[in-house]
Amino acid sequence: MNLHQLRFVREAVRQNYNLTDAAKALFTSQPGVSKAIIELEEELGVDIFTRHGKRIRGLTEPGRLVLSSVELIMQEIDSLKRIGKEYAAQDSGSFTIATTHTQARYTLPKVVQAFMLKFPKVRLSLLQGNPRQIAEMVQRDQADLAIATESIAGVDNLITLPCYQWEHVVVVPPDHPLLKSKSVTLEEIAAFPLITYDGAFAGRSKIDHAFSLRGLKPDVLLEAIDADVIKTYVELGMGIGIIAGMAFDPERDRSLRAIPAGHLFGMNVSRVAVKQGAYLRSYIYTFIELLAPTLNRKLIEQAMNGEKDTYEL
């Protein structure tokens, strides 16, 4: 048994059981991958994969258990490599963050700037996607951590901790009648065409749920993943917008006005997620502390070790 065999098994699953794609991903040959997997099955005395002819189709029952062990072993191997790299170079290396557009555009710039001043030798990468996609990036070791709203909480093999709270705001032109309302209501909002986030982003589910509870069906004219796009169409007079409060800047958005809507849609919590059992380099802890000062290294390590089941703001 060797590490190459374990890598081949894991990659075959990741490539939807296509051994040709698995071989390409690992820069080797398809026959070599197939042979190594068969040799591992013979050594273990069980079939890891179900087959139809020469093609593998899925995992057998023992194969699922084997894969779980393989994932743990490969994660420990990766951790060993990272430990070596960290102690060889404490202040340099690479760091990949998976996040949504809203976080990348409005929350992270100041945090990233402060981090890069502390660690100028670290190569930082930002990957964007919807909450499901960024959670998968961390699960697959394509990113060190993910930052999004509550929708990444409860994902298998991820430890998630709250960073900060925020509320939605309704954005309107300066002369809009909603600005005369002392406390805007859902009924008043539903009377206008609505421009807001795509269903997978920035607390959209809370917006829909609030209207649903009141039996209202707003006229959603346009959905977008980018608050700047939403604001642009509001400026054109096509409707009113609902965006994350962090995405509105009175100085930058002088042609619009923001109406707080936390009393209608509730408070949202942005979270940071890391892979359970992963080894985090010291500067990653520093980044998390810059993002959310309440999340110190001791608390993060407690959560990763299972010593704290829940932690809320």
Side-chain angles (χ1 to χ4, degrees):
M1 188 183 302
N2 58 60
L3 290 177
H4 287 303
Q5 292 170 320
L6 304 185
R7 288 194 181 95
F8 294 163
V9 168
R10 182 177 66 173
E11 197 61 37
V13 175
R14 289 183 174 183
Q15 298 296 335
N16 294 316
Y17 309 108
N18 187 314
L19 295 187
T20 299
D21 289 345
K24 288 180 181 178
L26 295 172
F27 303 102
T28 187
S29 67
Q30 185 273 332
V33 172
S34 181
K35 181 182 178 183
I37 290 174
I38 291 171
E39 288 175 348
L40 179 59
E41 289 178 320
E42 290 175 348
E43 182 175 349
L44 295 176
V46 296
D47 288 335
I48 298 172
F49 297 103
T50 59
R51 291 174 171 80
H52 181 74
K54 294 184 178 181
R55 294 181 178 274
I56 62 173
R57 296 298 189 187
L59 286 166
T60 63
E61 186 63 31
R64 282 190 283 271
L65 298 176
V66 169
L67 179 64
S68 295
S69 294
V70 167
E71 293 282 8
L72 290 174
I73 292 168
M74 298 311 299
Q75 184 169 309
E76 291 301 320
I77 294 295
D78 290 340
S79 292
L80 286 172
K81 291 179 180 178
R82 289 174 184 172
I83 290 170
K85 288 180 180 178
E86 174 162 356
Y87 282 93
Q90 291 276 358
D91 62 348
S92 64
S94 60
F95 176 27
T96 302
I97 301 166
T99 190
T100 60
H101 174 87
T102 298
Q103 302 291 336
R105 172 70 177 82
Y106 303 106
T107 302
L108 292 184
K110 290 183 179 180
V111 178
V112 168
Q113 183 181 41
F115 177 82
M116 296 307 295
L117 288 173
K118 284 180 173 288
F119 300 98
K121 296 180 183 179
V122 173
R123 187 184 66 178
L124 184 63
S125 299
L126 287 178
L127 303 178
Q128 293 184 44
N130 63 41
R132 178 186 58 78
Q133 290 169 335
I134 66 174
E136 289 179 354
M137 290 176 193
V138 176
Q139 288 176 317
R140 295 189 172 203
D141 300 314
Q142 296 169 340
D144 297 292
L145 59 83
I147 304 167
T149 50
E150 295 99 319
S151 47
I152 61 172
V155 177
D156 289 344
N157 300 322
L158 294 188
I159 301 295
T160 66
L161 291 169
C163 297
Y164 58 89
Q165 291 182 320
W166 56 271
E167 66 177 341
H168 288 97
V169 296
V170 179
V171 288
V172 298
D175 58 350
H176 199 277
L178 280 183
L179 293 170
K180 298 178 182 178
S181 177
K182 292 183 178 180
S183 182
V184 69
T185 66
L186 290 172
E187 286 79 7
E188 288 175 316
I189 294 173
F192 299 93
L194 188 61
I195 305 166
T196 190
Y197 293 107
D198 176 86
F201 290 87
R204 171 64 188 276
S205 60
K206 282 194 171 183
I207 296 172
D208 292 342
H209 184 61
F211 283 116
S212 178
L213 285 178
R214 298 296 289 270
L216 298 171
K217 293 184 178 180
D219 176 19
V220 179
L221 183 70
L222 178 68
E223 298 177 317
I225 66 172
D226 184 344
D228 287 339
V229 171
I230 295 171
K231 289 183 288 186
T232 295
Y233 284 94
V234 174
E235 288 173 334
L236 291 174
M238 294 182 65
I240 63 174
I242 301 177
I243 63 173
M246 70 190 84
F248 184 83
D249 183 334
E251 287 298 315
R252 185 180 60 232
D253 302 316
R254 293 182 181 181
S255 62
L256 295 172
R257 300 292 182 269
I259 304 170
H263 64 292
L264 299 176
F265 306 119
M267 298 303 294
N268 295 270
V269 179
S270 287
R271 294 178 177 268
V272 61
V274 295
K275 188 174 181 180
Q276 191 169 26
Y279 173 76
L280 302 183
R281 300 184 69 170
S282 59
Y283 54 70
I284 296 179
Y285 287 104
T286 301
F287 180 89
I288 296 173
E289 290 179 22
L290 289 171
L291 176 68
T294 55
L295 297 180
N296 56 54
R297 181 165 183 161
K298 181 179 179 181
L299 190 150
I300 298 166
E301 288 179 339
Q302 286 178 336
M304 294 187 70
N305 292 330
E307 296 175 27
K308 270 190 174 289
D309 293 330
T310 58
Y311 173 76
E312 297 301 330
L313 292 171

